Amino acid sequence: MVALVRLRTPLALLGAAVLVLVGPPLLTTGSGSETGTQIPGLRFMVPNTPGGGYDITARTAAKNAEDAGLTHNIEVFNLPGAGGTVGLSRLVSEHGNGKLAMSMGLGVVGAVRSNDAPKTLGDTTPIARLTEEQDVVVVAKDSPYKTIDDLIGAWKENPGKLPVGGGSSPGGPDHLAPMLMARAAGIPPKQVNYIPFDGGGELLASILGNKVAFGVSGVGEYLDQIKAGELRLLAVTGPERVEGLDAPTLKEAGYDVNFTNWRGIVAPPGLTDGERAKLVRLLEELHGSDEWRKSLEQNGWDDAFLTGEEFDAFLDAEDKRVVSVLKELGL
């Protein structure tokens, strides 16, 4: 019996050695570990309500990253409030947490200013800008306004009686876009009755229920409702028409407005260089994936990928731009 044990031991060791040699390639295939993108326990915070642009962006990025095998079991959770600044404060308080990131964009830049928030994006670790998209000007399907000229004609007659809803706080994209529209139409921006909602998802019910005369939000947020005929698209705010949608640009309709929104990812302060690099690497690999490219097309998003110091500088420039536009509009 002793001889048998001695014979089996070398064989067992040989088998273990073979498993060690064979194991790593089997484990790394499609796991993301070969590119160093696996972040166990990673969580994406969304600083507004479900259904908004930040929410759609975060959930799409999480699903695409998992489908591409870059990492697994990303938790996406919502922490709405004050245009995104409640979530921003939470993020900043998670100093050194390399397993937390937040979806954000121009709306948070504006909300920081309009709410005089104690924490700013300068307190975060910038990771990447992901997308750029146009805003859309929409009304309910039974609205009396059939065209952008119909809407603006009625708006000019009595600006205060035609409330416009947006999915961001004052200073955010859904606020700035209609203010720029008003100015282009000869309406004093201070006369605009703007009603802020905490994300496009919250705004949608008010548009459909005719509680606001029209709404302004990101194209990706309302693409399904526009295609289903629940919302009537009157115009888009960017430089070109959106492929697959039958609506003019504001400039094409005779109103001198060219405006786009963007979204990205930031992380808590105090990350090590390695932790920041891993988050950046994950998003770089996501950006290069087939899954993400398909999502860009399906949501009407433009690729606007930017990382590192360039994204840091971009955030600083956007803060200055928001302040400048608000002053220019007398707001």
Side-chain angles (χ1 to χ4, degrees):
M1 181 65 75
V2 174
L4 280 173
V5 171
R6 286 176 180 167
L7 179 60
R8 285 173 181 166
T9 302
L11 288 173
L13 292 172
L14 178 60
V18 170
L19 284 173
V20 168
L21 292 172
V22 174
L26 292 175
L27 290 171
T28 58
T29 300
S31 70
S33 55
E34 66 273 15
T35 54
T37 58
Q38 285 287 348
I39 307 177
L42 178 62
R43 307 173 79 210
F44 281 169
M45 183 198 304
V46 177
N48 62 10
T49 54
Y54 300 150
D55 187 68
I56 295 170
T57 302
R59 294 182 191 280
T60 300
K63 185 177 187 306
N64 288 172
E66 291 177 6
D67 289 348
L70 300 175
T71 192
H72 299 286
N73 300 320
I74 301 174
E75 179 191 347
V76 181
F77 69 100
N78 299 77
L79 185 63
T85 56
V86 170
L88 177 62
S89 293
R90 163 73 181 277
L91 186 83
V92 173
S93 73
E94 295 273 348
H95 189 279
N97 185 351
K99 295 177 184 286
L100 179 65
M102 186 178 85
S103 175
M104 49 71 70
L106 181 56
V108 176
V109 178
V112 166
R113 286 293 178 180
S114 63
N115 293 322
D116 196 22
K119 303 299 181 183
T120 74
L121 289 165
D123 296 315
T124 70
T125 300
I127 302 300
R129 186 182 69 188
L130 297 176
T131 64
E132 186 176 54
E133 72 171 342
Q134 303 197 38
D135 265 357
V136 290
V137 182
V138 292
V139 295
K141 63 181 179 181
D142 57 351
S143 167
Y145 310 117
K146 309 292 185 186
T147 68
I148 188 66
D149 285 332
D150 290 344
L151 172 65
I152 289 184
W155 200 21
K156 288 175 74 171
E157 285 182 15
N158 200 331
K161 285 197 174 178
L162 261 72
V164 50
S168 59
S169 296
D174 301 349
H175 171 249
L176 294 178
M179 293 300 167
L180 292 169
M181 280 174 58
R183 185 181 66 175
I187 301 169
K190 286 187 177 180
Q191 292 183 16
V192 173
N193 181 9
Y194 178 76
I195 301 176
F197 293 83
D198 207 353
E202 190 177 285
L203 167 64
L204 180 60
S206 289
I207 302 173
L208 294 174
N210 291 305
K211 293 182 179 177
V212 293
F214 67 103
V216 177
S217 196
V219 62
E221 293 170 80
Y222 292 159
L223 204 53
D224 290 343
Q225 289 80 11
I226 291 168
K227 289 183 175 179
E230 296 173 12
L231 293 176
R232 182 183 299 142
L233 175 60
L234 301 184
V236 297
T237 65
E240 297 177 352
R241 289 190 175 213
V242 175
E243 187 176 348
L245 297 180
D246 184 20
T249 66
L250 285 169
K251 200 153 193 173
E252 184 183 341
Y255 307 99
D256 191 14
V257 176
N258 182 353
F259 182 86
T260 55
N261 186 18
W262 57 268
R263 296 191 181 94
I265 300 288
V266 294
L271 268 59
T272 65
D273 290 344
E275 287 170 330
R276 180 178 187 176
K278 198 158 193 177
L279 282 167
V280 170
R281 191 157 56 244
L282 171 61
L283 294 176
E284 285 175 339
E285 293 292 325
L286 171 68
H287 174 249
S289 70
D290 291 338
E291 290 81 359
W292 181 248
R293 282 195 289 271
K294 288 176 185 174
S295 292
L296 290 175
E297 184 177 346
Q298 289 169 356
N299 288 289
W301 296 336
D302 294 322
D303 185 5
F305 196 67
L306 195 66
T307 63
E309 292 181 2
E310 289 180 327
F311 181 43
D312 204 347
F314 171 80
L315 288 178
D316 185 56
E318 285 295 273
D319 181 55
K320 291 181 173 66
R321 180 167 78 105
V322 166
V323 172
S324 175
V325 172
L326 289 173
K327 283 182 179 177
E328 185 184 339
L329 295 174
L331 301 171

